[in-house]
Amino acid sequence: YSSEAGALRALRAAGYATTLDLVDALFVEIEPKFAQRGDIGYPAKIPHALMSPALIDGAFAYSKHPAGAVSVPRNFITRAWAV
């Protein structure tokens, strides 16, 4: 895909409404406090259906945004999955 609309179509064609649904289907959810470096997570607020999960690395989690990389404090992560 080369556009947001194309990405959403591909995601929906695979049976998922959001990237969160995809992550939830493919990985085992764990308590965020037990997430280790390399696991993935989402903050409480997910503003967009295509929001990438954040990669947990110590005290911060890293994701991407159309404007570039984003880092958030780990305590903002409210759902996590073991990778």
Side-chain angles (χ1 to χ4, degrees), residues 2 4 6 8 15 23 25 40 42 48-49 58 60 65 70-71 73 79:
S2 59
E4 185 176 308
L8 282 170
V23 167
I40 55 176
Y42 278 99
H48 196 283
F60 290 91
H65 180 275
V70 175
S71 65
R79 293 185 69 188

Side-chain angles (χ1 to χ4, degrees), residues 34-45:
F34 297 127
Q36 298 180 14
R37 182 169 277 124
D39 290 337
I40 55 176
Y42 278 99
K45 183 178 179 185

Side-chain angles (χ1 to χ4, degrees), residues 10-67:
L11 190 62
R12 291 185 176 135
Y16 306 103
T18 66
T19 53
L20 173 61
D21 295 337
L22 175 69
V23 167
D24 205 30
L26 296 178
F27 299 97
V28 175
E29 189 166 4
I30 58 175
E31 284 290 326
K33 65 183 175 185
F34 297 127
Q36 298 180 14
R37 182 169 277 124
D39 290 337
I40 55 176
Y42 278 99
K45 183 178 179 185
I46 301 173
H48 196 283
L50 292 174
M51 182 175 167
S52 295
L55 180 64
I56 297 169
D57 184 26
F60 290 91
Y62 301 92
S63 189
K64 62 183 203 169
H65 180 275

